[in-house]
Amino acid sequence: MLPARPTAAGAAAGIAVVGAESLRPSLTPRSTLHQGLVTALMASTGAAVGAAAGAAVGRLFRPVAPDSVVAAGTLVGASLVAVALGRRHVVAQGASHAEWAPRGGRPAVGAGAGIVAAAGLAVTGSAAGRQVRRGSVGASQRFGGHPALWAVGGVALIATAAVAGARSGFRSALGSLAADSRAADEALAEPIDDPHVSGGPGSAVDYETLSREGRRYVHWRVSAADMREAGITDPREPVRVFVGLDSAESISGRVDLAMAELERLGAFDRAHIVAACPAGSGYANSVPTEALELYSHGDCASVVVQYGLLPSMLSIPEIPAAAEGFRLLIDRISGRIASASPQDRPKLHLYGESLGAAVAQTALTAEPSLVDRKTARIAGIDTVLFVGTPGGTGLRDELRQHPGVVHVDRWQDLPEEPPADCQFWLLDHDADPVTRFEIPLVARRPGWLGGETRGRNIPDQMRWIPLTTWQQVMLDVAYATQAQSGVFRSLGHDYRADLAPMVAAAWEPRSQGEIQQVQTLLADREVTRDRMLDLAEAGK
């Protein structure tokens, strides 16, 4: 039965038109589920806007046409527009994102499910509103008082109950996520028998406190035996230090442990030390560390201090405390290096990816700032490599156009002659939703969606529309890393294809001729360990 009121017809029209518009390509390809989520979110917005527009149109045409005629005209017009938009955008989606792995998504099915969900939410909200109005009138008649006051009280009561339920569910979900982050992979449950890493024999860091990501990080070390097998003669044993969130009770305690491990393992006798700032869950991408271990023939050490157990999107409130801990770590390391004789000083490099990049940049600029923004120089650090920095204003955005900084979309864009003594190396894919998502996108068209020249992999059909583009990109963030084991693509938030060349350029320029060999080794190693994890999990 078609709605006879312009308000209801407007809501239905908004769901149809905005639901069809949700099929417009954005920064990532969409699976059926991804499309359904995008459509449900955008169409719900369309319902609210459409209802308001329908009410206004109804008032405008009421003197000349019945509400039923206005409602029917609204629905017919919206249906025609929605069909035209939907067909055009489905075709555009099929022509976009050719470089990504095939997803097999069915956008029309996802959009249909999203429209049904949005319509159900709108109907439920409307029914709840009617019940509140009826209840407020009944309460007013029985107990006195204006119905509007009873309505406000009823809405407040419902909202309070909903918020309380949501908080309880959210806390439970966070607890489950933290427990998953602490749990070990089946293949890595037993203590590691490697004397060159934290958690190994003689380590003050208990292997049980390393969390899932910490155990992976120390296990993925490229050993001297691995290097000899790859044809590298006379390699050293690289050092890896990981201190878990549960390894000590405080930030300073974890940093103390990290420094003790670096000393114990001989890190300060190496040519390179990398201080890597992890993502929210403690994830520290092993690929850049493995690349340096291979390029330097093992003459390096790396250190990671964990600050959280939750995914990065849920760890944003932890940035200040995480930055405090990372700043303490790099101050301690740089101070230790400065105390050595000049000929014995290792180079200190910082690495940050995704939320880790944001934390590291916050740490560098904490007072007293280590960064001179005019010269793009950093005190006490040799180089920094920041990858996939989340959108928003920050150090990356202040320095990306500086002539002394290298900022590229992919490794092939690296300059043949980088700036002399370059310290800042920035890598951000043009079409990475993580780097593009920010609050101003709600109401302001970004520069990357304006003009004739677009960045790599940003669809030509993508347009900025207030609020809805922000919604699209927000959900794209959840699907920004669509990685396949051993298949390195320079796409979205997957930077594996770029990391070995970037590490060579920033940290080991003498190794440019080894990039292809190292890329192949890294891909093979990833396939081997992913297979090991899968087999162990299947054999539980």
Side-chain angles (χ1 to χ4, degrees), residues 308-335:
L309 293 164
L310 300 177
S312 291
M313 285 290 286
L314 299 174
S315 299
I316 293 174
E318 302 300 320
I319 288 179
E324 178 187 348
F326 193 66
R327 176 60 178 271
L328 180 59
L329 175 67
I330 60 179
D331 284 349
R332 293 279 300 275
I333 295 174
S334 62

Side-chain angles (χ1 to χ4, degrees), residues 361 389-401 426 435 438:
Q361 291 169 47
T389 303
T393 57
L395 186 61
R396 184 268 314 268
D397 303 275
E398 294 176 39
L399 295 180
R400 67 199 316 172
Q401 301 297 331
L426 306 174
T435 71
E438 55 183 338

Side-chain angles (χ1 to χ4, degrees), residues 408-429:
V408 294
D409 159 60
R410 54 181 171 173
W411 74 267
Q412 290 89 340
D413 298 331
L414 285 167
E416 291 186 12
E417 293 293 335
D421 298 322
C422 177
Q423 289 185 289
F424 275 97
W425 298 75
L426 306 174
L427 173 65
D428 297 292
H429 290 161

